[in-house]
Amino acid sequence: QVQLVESGGGSVQAGGSLRLSCAAFGYAYTSYCMAWFRRASGKEREGVAAIDSDGSTFYADTVKGRFTISKDNAKNTLYLQMNSLKPEDTAMYYCAADFRDLGRTMVAGGADFRYWGQGTQVTVSS
């Protein structure tokens, strides 16, 4: 059974930083595409960043240059370093995984990941 557990959310002022973590259990972690999505209140879910099994990374235009996705294979953990946070980054952030490399599809808006975490809330105040 695949399990994804997010942590690291919280409240921060605009311009601040947070690092989200996603611990993964129950599958061949290194062979999976991993991603971060977010959903703000009243809005559609948005793909934020993805990392394919070969290490290629992909970012939404709204976070490019501010967010960095990475993973530690030894710890089976995915990260999202978020810098220069803005109030519009406020959302529930979700970790997702799939055995298909969906990074490019995610930034185009069409990715449907198979496995999802429960989410961690990020709130950015102005």
Side-chain angles (χ1 to χ4, degrees):
Q1 181 71 18
V2 175
Q3 284 189 304
L4 303 172
V5 181
E6 303 97 332
S7 61
S11 297
V12 65
Q13 288 193 323
S17 298
L18 282 173
R19 188 177 80 157
L20 305 183
S21 299
C22 171
F25 306 93
Y27 65 99
Y29 173 78
T30 57
S31 64
Y32 274 56
C33 173
M34 304 288 296
W36 290 97
F37 286 77
R38 67 186 180 187
R39 175 174 279 161
S41 179
K43 294 189 176 182
E44 295 290 318
R45 188 179 65 196
E46 174 190 21
V48 175
I51 182 164
D52 279 348
S53 59
D54 66 354
S56 300
T57 56
F58 304 86
Y59 296 93
D61 287 342
T62 51
V63 306
K64 204 171 290 185
R66 299 188 298 122
F67 291 10
T68 302
I69 189 170
S70 62
K71 60 180 183 176
D72 185 331
N73 290 336
K75 296 181 179 179
N76 278 13
T77 301
L78 178 74
Y79 301 101
L80 185 68
Q81 178 67 44
M82 305 185 295
N83 298 328
S84 303
L85 282 161
K86 305 175 181 180
E88 50 265 43
D89 294 318
T90 295
M92 185 72 80
Y93 283 71
Y94 299 91
C95 174
D98 199 285
F99 57 85
R100 300 165 293 173
D101 281 335
L102 296 176
R104 202 175 302 279
T105 307
M106 186 209 73
V107 295
D112 183 16
F113 281 69
R114 180 165 184 157
Y115 303 106
W116 294 86
Q118 294 300 307
T120 185
Q121 177 68 36
V122 171
T123 302
V124 184
S125 58
S126 58

Coordinates of all heavy atoms in Angstrom, one line a residue, residues 12-76:
V12 N 3.3 32.0 7.6 CA 4.5 32.8 7.4 C 4.1 34.1 6.8 O 3.1 34.2 6.2 CB 5.5 32.0 6.5 CG1 5.0 31.8 5.2 CG2 6.9 32.7 6.5
Q13 N 4.9 35.1 7.0 CA 4.7 36.4 6.4 C 5.2 36.4 5.0 O 6.1 35.6 4.6 CB 5.3 37.5 7.2 CG 4.6 37.8 8.5 CD 5.1 39.1 9.2 OE1 6.3 39.4 9.1 NE2 4.2 39.8 9.8
A14 N 4.6 37.3 4.2 CA 5.0 37.4 2.8 C 6.5 37.7 2.7 O 7.1 38.5 3.6 CB 4.3 38.6 2.1
G15 N 7.2 37.0 1.8 CA 8.7 37.2 1.7 C 9.4 36.1 2.4 O 10.6 35.9 2.2
G16 N 8.7 35.4 3.3 CA 9.3 34.3 4.1 C 9.5 33.0 3.3 O 9.2 32.9 2.1
S17 N 10.0 32.0 4.0 CA 10.2 30.7 3.4 C 9.6 29.6 4.3 O 9.5 29.7 5.5 CB 11.7 30.5 3.3 OG 12.3 31.4 2.5
L18 N 9.3 28.5 3.6 CA 8.9 27.2 4.3 C 9.5 26.1 3.4 O 9.7 26.2 2.2 CB 7.4 27.1 4.3 CG 6.6 27.9 5.4 CD1 5.1 27.7 5.1 CD2 7.0 27.4 6.8
R19 N 9.7 24.9 4.1 CA 10.1 23.7 3.4 C 9.1 22.6 3.7 O 8.9 22.2 4.9 CB 11.5 23.3 3.7 CG 11.9 22.1 2.9 CD 13.4 21.7 3.1 NE 13.5 20.8 4.3 CZ 14.5 20.0 4.5 NH1 15.5 19.9 3.5 NH2 14.6 19.2 5.5
L20 N 8.4 22.1 2.7 CA 7.5 21.0 2.9 C 8.2 19.7 2.7 O 9.2 19.6 1.9 CB 6.3 21.1 1.9 CG 5.5 22.4 1.9 CD1 4.4 22.3 0.9 CD2 5.1 22.8 3.3
S21 N 7.8 18.7 3.4 CA 8.4 17.3 3.2 C 7.2 16.3 3.0 O 6.1 16.5 3.4 CB 9.1 16.9 4.5 OG 10.2 17.8 4.8
C22 N 7.6 15.3 2.2 CA 6.6 14.2 2.0 C 7.3 12.9 2.1 O 8.2 12.6 1.3 CB 6.0 14.4 0.6 SG 5.0 13.0 0.0
A23 N 7.0 12.2 3.2 CA 7.6 10.9 3.4 C 6.8 9.8 2.7 O 5.6 9.8 2.7 CB 7.6 10.6 4.9
A24 N 7.5 9.0 1.9 CA 6.8 8.0 1.1 C 7.1 6.6 1.6 O 8.2 6.2 2.0 CB 7.3 8.1 -0.3
F25 N 6.0 5.8 1.6 CA 6.1 4.4 2.1 C 5.5 3.4 1.1 O 4.5 3.8 0.5 CB 5.4 4.3 3.4 CG 5.9 5.2 4.5 CD1 5.3 6.5 4.6 CD2 7.0 5.0 5.3 CE1 5.7 7.4 5.6 CE2 7.4 5.9 6.2 CZ 6.8 7.1 6.4
G26 N 6.0 2.2 1.0 CA 5.3 1.1 0.4 C 5.5 0.9 -1.1 O 4.8 0.2 -1.7
Y27 N 6.5 1.6 -1.7 CA 6.7 1.4 -3.1 C 8.2 1.7 -3.5 O 8.9 2.2 -2.7 CB 5.8 2.2 -4.0 CG 6.0 3.7 -3.9 CD1 6.7 4.4 -4.8 CD2 5.4 4.4 -2.8 CE1 6.8 5.7 -4.7 CE2 5.6 5.7 -2.7 CZ 6.3 6.4 -3.6 OH 6.5 7.8 -3.5
A28 N 8.5 1.4 -4.8 CA 9.9 1.6 -5.3 C 10.0 3.1 -5.5 O 9.9 3.6 -6.7 CB 10.1 0.8 -6.5
Y29 N 10.3 3.8 -4.5 CA 10.3 5.3 -4.5 C 11.1 5.9 -5.7 O 10.7 6.8 -6.3 CB 10.8 5.8 -3.2 CG 11.0 7.3 -3.0 CD1 9.9 8.1 -2.8 CD2 12.3 7.8 -3.1 CE1 10.1 9.5 -2.7 CE2 12.5 9.2 -3.0 CZ 11.4 10.0 -2.8 OH 11.6 11.3 -2.7
T30 N 12.3 5.4 -5.9 CA 13.2 6.0 -6.9 C 12.6 5.9 -8.3 O 13.0 6.7 -9.2 CB 14.6 5.4 -6.8 OG1 14.4 4.0 -7.0 CG2 15.2 5.6 -5.5
S31 N 11.7 5.0 -8.6 CA 11.2 4.8 -9.9 C 9.9 5.5 -10.2 O 9.4 5.4 -11.2 CB 11.0 3.3 -10.2 OG 10.0 2.8 -9.4
Y32 N 9.5 6.3 -9.2 CA 8.2 7.0 -9.4 C 8.4 8.5 -9.7 O 9.4 9.1 -9.2 CB 7.4 6.9 -8.1 CG 6.6 5.7 -8.0 CD1 7.1 4.4 -8.2 CD2 5.2 5.8 -7.8 CE1 6.3 3.3 -8.1 CE2 4.4 4.6 -7.7 CZ 5.0 3.4 -7.9 OH 4.2 2.3 -7.8
C33 N 7.5 9.1 -10.3 CA 7.4 10.5 -10.5 C 6.7 11.1 -9.2 O 5.7 10.5 -8.8 CB 6.6 10.9 -11.7 SG 6.2 12.6 -11.9
M34 N 7.2 12.1 -8.7 CA 6.7 12.7 -7.5 C 6.3 14.2 -7.8 O 7.0 14.8 -8.6 CB 7.7 12.7 -6.3 CG 8.2 11.3 -6.0 SD 7.0 10.3 -5.1 CE 6.7 11.2 -3.6
A35 N 5.3 14.7 -7.1 CA 4.9 16.1 -7.4 C 4.2 16.7 -6.2 O 3.8 16.0 -5.3 CB 3.9 16.1 -8.6
W36 N 4.2 18.0 -6.3 CA 3.4 18.8 -5.3 C 2.3 19.5 -6.1 O 2.5 20.1 -7.1 CB 4.3 19.9 -4.7 CG 5.3 19.3 -3.7 CD1 6.6 19.0 -4.0 CD2 5.1 18.9 -2.4 NE1 7.2 18.5 -2.8 CE2 6.3 18.4 -1.8 CE3 3.9 19.0 -1.5 CZ2 6.4 18.0 -0.5 CZ3 4.1 18.5 -0.2 CH2 5.3 18.0 0.3
F37 N 1.1 19.5 -5.5 CA 0.0 20.2 -6.0 C -0.5 21.1 -4.8 O -0.2 20.9 -3.7 CB -1.2 19.2 -6.4 CG -1.0 18.5 -7.6 CD1 -0.1 17.4 -7.7 CD2 -1.6 18.9 -8.8 CE1 0.1 16.7 -8.9 CE2 -1.4 18.2 -10.0 CZ -0.6 17.1 -10.0
R38 N -1.4 22.1 -5.2 CA -2.0 22.9 -4.2 C -3.4 23.2 -4.6 O -3.7 23.3 -5.8 CB -1.2 24.2 -3.9 CG -1.2 25.1 -5.1 CD -0.2 26.3 -4.7 NE -0.1 27.3 -5.8 CZ 0.7 28.3 -5.8 NH1 1.6 28.5 -4.8 NH2 0.7 29.1 -6.8
R39 N -4.2 23.5 -3.6 CA -5.6 23.9 -3.8 C -5.9 25.1 -2.8 O -5.9 24.8 -1.6 CB -6.6 22.8 -3.7 CG -8.0 23.3 -3.8 CD -9.0 22.1 -3.8 NE -9.0 21.5 -5.1 CZ -9.5 20.2 -5.3 NH1 -9.9 19.5 -4.3 NH2 -9.5 19.7 -6.5
A40 N -6.1 26.2 -3.4 CA -6.6 27.4 -2.6 C -8.1 27.3 -2.4 O -8.8 26.8 -3.3 CB -6.1 28.7 -3.3
S41 N -8.5 28.0 -1.4 CA -10.0 28.0 -1.1 C -10.7 28.6 -2.3 O -10.4 29.7 -2.8 CB -10.2 28.8 0.1 OG -11.6 28.8 0.4
G42 N -11.7 27.8 -2.8 CA -12.5 28.3 -3.9 C -11.9 28.2 -5.3 O -12.5 28.7 -6.3
K43 N -10.7 27.6 -5.4 CA -10.0 27.5 -6.7 C -9.8 26.0 -7.1 O -9.9 25.1 -6.2 CB -8.7 28.2 -6.6 CG -8.9 29.7 -6.4 CD -7.5 30.4 -6.6 CE -7.7 31.9 -6.5 NZ -6.4 32.7 -6.7
E44 N -9.4 25.8 -8.3 CA -9.1 24.5 -8.8 C -7.7 24.1 -8.3 O -6.9 24.9 -8.0 CB -9.1 24.5 -10.3 CG -10.4 24.8 -11.0 CD -11.4 23.6 -10.8 OE1 -10.9 22.4 -10.9 OE2 -12.6 23.8 -10.5
R45 N -7.6 22.8 -8.2 CA -6.2 22.2 -7.8 C -5.2 22.6 -8.9 O -5.5 22.6 -10.1 CB -6.3 20.7 -7.7 CG -5.1 20.1 -7.2 CD -5.3 18.6 -7.1 NE -5.4 17.9 -8.4 CZ -5.9 16.7 -8.6 NH1 -6.3 16.0 -7.5 NH2 -6.0 16.2 -9.8
E46 N -4.0 23.0 -8.5 CA -3.0 23.4 -9.4 C -1.7 22.6 -9.2 O -1.3 22.4 -8.0 CB -2.7 24.9 -9.1 CG -1.5 25.5 -9.8 CD -1.1 26.9 -9.3 OE1 -1.5 27.2 -8.2 OE2 -0.5 27.6 -10.1
G47 N -1.1 22.1 -10.2 CA 0.2 21.5 -10.2 C 1.2 22.5 -9.9 O 1.3 23.5 -10.6
V48 N 2.1 22.3 -8.9 CA 3.1 23.3 -8.5 C 4.5 22.9 -9.1 O 5.2 23.7 -9.7 CB 3.2 23.4 -7.0 CG1 4.3 24.3 -6.5 CG2 1.8 23.9 -6.4
A49 N 4.9 21.7 -8.8 CA 6.2 21.2 -9.2 C 6.2 19.7 -9.2 O 5.5 19.0 -8.5 CB 7.3 21.7 -8.2
A50 N 7.1 19.1 -10.1 CA 7.2 17.7 -10.2 C 8.6 17.3 -10.5 O 9.4 18.1 -11.0 CB 6.3 17.2 -11.3
I51 N 9.0 16.1 -10.1 CA 10.3 15.5 -10.4 C 10.1 14.1 -10.9 O 9.5 13.3 -10.3 CB 11.2 15.6 -9.2 CG1 12.6 15.1 -9.5 CG2 10.6 14.9 -8.0 CD1 13.6 15.4 -8.4
D52 N 10.5 13.9 -12.2 CA 10.4 12.6 -12.8 C 11.4 11.6 -12.2 O 12.3 12.0 -11.5 CB 10.6 12.7 -14.3 CG 9.3 13.2 -15.0 OD1 8.2 13.2 -14.3 OD2 9.4 13.5 -16.2
S53 N 11.3 10.3 -12.6 CA 12.1 9.3 -12.1 C 13.6 9.5 -12.5 O 14.5 9.1 -11.8 CB 11.7 7.9 -12.5 OG 11.7 7.9 -13.9
D54 N 13.8 10.2 -13.6 CA 15.2 10.5 -14.0 C 15.8 11.8 -13.4 O 16.9 12.2 -13.7 CB 15.3 10.6 -15.5 CG 14.5 11.8 -16.1 OD1 13.9 12.5 -15.4 OD2 14.6 12.0 -17.3
G55 N 15.0 12.4 -12.5 CA 15.5 13.6 -11.9 C 15.1 14.9 -12.5 O 15.4 16.0 -12.0
S56 N 14.5 14.8 -13.7 CA 14.0 16.1 -14.4 C 13.0 16.8 -13.6 O 12.1 16.1 -13.0 CB 13.4 15.7 -15.8 OG 14.4 15.1 -16.6
T57 N 13.1 18.1 -13.5 CA 12.1 18.9 -12.7 C 11.3 19.8 -13.6 O 11.7 20.2 -14.6 CB 12.8 19.7 -11.6 OG1 13.8 20.5 -12.3 CG2 13.6 18.8 -10.6
F58 N 10.1 20.0 -13.1 CA 9.1 20.8 -13.8 C 8.4 21.7 -12.8 O 8.1 21.3 -11.7 CB 8.1 19.9 -14.5 CG 8.7 18.9 -15.4 CD1 9.2 17.7 -14.9 CD2 8.9 19.2 -16.8 CE1 9.8 16.8 -15.8 CE2 9.5 18.3 -17.6 CZ 10.0 17.1 -17.1
Y59 N 8.1 23.0 -13.2 CA 7.5 24.0 -12.3 C 6.4 24.7 -13.0 O 6.5 25.0 -14.2 CB 8.5 25.0 -11.9 CG 9.6 24.4 -11.0 CD1 10.8 24.0 -11.6 CD2 9.4 24.2 -9.6 CE1 11.8 23.4 -10.8 CE2 10.5 23.7 -8.9 CZ 11.6 23.3 -9.5 OH 12.6 22.7 -8.7
A60 N 5.4 25.0 -12.3 CA 4.3 26.0 -12.8 C 5.0 27.3 -12.9 O 5.8 27.7 -12.1 CB 3.2 26.0 -11.8
D61 N 4.5 28.1 -13.9 CA 5.1 29.4 -14.1 C 4.9 30.3 -12.8 O 5.7 31.2 -12.6 CB 4.4 30.1 -15.2 CG 4.8 29.5 -16.6 OD1 5.8 28.8 -16.6 OD2 4.1 29.8 -17.6
T62 N 3.8 30.1 -12.0 CA 3.6 30.9 -10.9 C 4.6 30.7 -9.8 O 4.7 31.6 -8.9 CB 2.2 30.6 -10.3 OG1 2.1 29.2 -10.1 CG2 1.1 31.1 -11.2
V63 N 5.4 29.7 -9.8 CA 6.3 29.4 -8.7 C 7.8 29.3 -9.2 O 8.7 29.2 -8.4 CB 6.0 28.1 -7.9 CG1 4.6 28.2 -7.4 CG2 6.2 26.9 -8.8
K64 N 7.9 29.4 -10.5 CA 9.3 29.2 -11.1 C 10.2 30.3 -10.5 O 9.9 31.5 -10.5 CB 9.2 29.3 -12.6 CG 10.3 28.6 -13.4 CD 10.0 28.6 -14.9 CE 8.9 27.6 -15.2 NZ 8.6 27.5 -16.6
G65 N 11.4 29.9 -10.1 CA 12.4 30.8 -9.6 C 12.2 31.0 -8.1 O 13.1 31.6 -7.4
R66 N 11.1 30.6 -7.5 CA 10.9 30.8 -6.0 C 10.8 29.4 -5.3 O 11.2 29.3 -4.2 CB 9.6 31.5 -5.8 CG 9.5 32.9 -6.4 CD 8.3 33.6 -6.0 NE 7.0 33.0 -6.4 CZ 6.1 32.6 -5.6 NH1 6.2 32.8 -4.3 NH2 5.0 32.0 -6.1
F67 N 10.3 28.4 -6.0 CA 10.2 27.1 -5.3 C 11.2 26.1 -6.0 O 11.5 26.2 -7.2 CB 8.8 26.5 -5.6 CG 7.7 27.2 -4.8 CD1 7.9 28.4 -4.2 CD2 6.4 26.7 -4.8 CE1 6.8 29.1 -3.5 CE2 5.4 27.3 -4.1 CZ 5.6 28.5 -3.5
T68 N 11.6 25.2 -5.2 CA 12.5 24.1 -5.6 C 12.1 22.8 -5.1 O 11.9 22.6 -3.9 CB 14.0 24.4 -5.2 OG1 14.4 25.7 -5.6 CG2 14.9 23.3 -5.7
I69 N 11.9 21.8 -6.1 CA 11.5 20.5 -5.7 C 12.8 19.6 -5.7 O 13.6 19.8 -6.5 CB 10.4 19.9 -6.6 CG1 9.9 18.6 -6.1 CG2 11.0 19.8 -8.1 CD1 8.7 18.1 -6.9
S70 N 12.8 18.7 -4.7 CA 14.0 17.8 -4.6 C 13.6 16.6 -3.9 O 12.5 16.5 -3.3 CB 15.2 18.5 -3.9 OG 14.8 18.8 -2.6
K71 N 14.4 15.5 -4.0 CA 14.1 14.3 -3.2 C 15.4 13.7 -2.7 O 16.4 13.8 -3.3 CB 13.3 13.3 -4.0 CG 13.9 12.8 -5.3 CD 13.0 11.9 -6.0 CE 13.7 11.3 -7.2 NZ 12.8 10.2 -7.9
D72 N 15.2 13.1 -1.5 CA 16.3 12.3 -0.9 C 16.0 10.9 -1.0 O 15.1 10.4 -0.3 CB 16.5 12.8 0.5 CG 17.7 12.1 1.2 OD1 18.1 11.0 0.8 OD2 18.2 12.8 2.1
N73 N 16.6 10.2 -2.0 CA 16.2 8.8 -2.2 C 16.6 7.9 -1.0 O 15.9 6.9 -0.7 CB 16.9 8.2 -3.4 CG 16.4 8.8 -4.7 OD1 15.3 9.3 -4.7 ND2 17.2 8.9 -5.7
A74 N 17.6 8.2 -0.2 CA 18.0 7.4 0.9 C 16.9 7.5 2.0 O 16.7 6.6 2.8 CB 19.3 7.9 1.5
K75 N 16.2 8.6 2.1 CA 15.2 8.8 3.1 C 13.8 8.7 2.6 O 12.8 8.8 3.3 CB 15.3 10.2 3.7 CG 16.6 10.5 4.5 CD 16.7 11.8 5.1 CE 17.9 12.1 5.8 NZ 18.0 13.4 6.4
N76 N 13.7 8.3 1.3 CA 12.3 8.2 0.7 C 11.5 9.4 0.9 O 10.3 9.3 1.3 CB 11.6 7.0 1.2 CG 12.0 5.7 0.4 OD1 13.0 5.7 -0.3 ND2 11.3 4.6 0.6

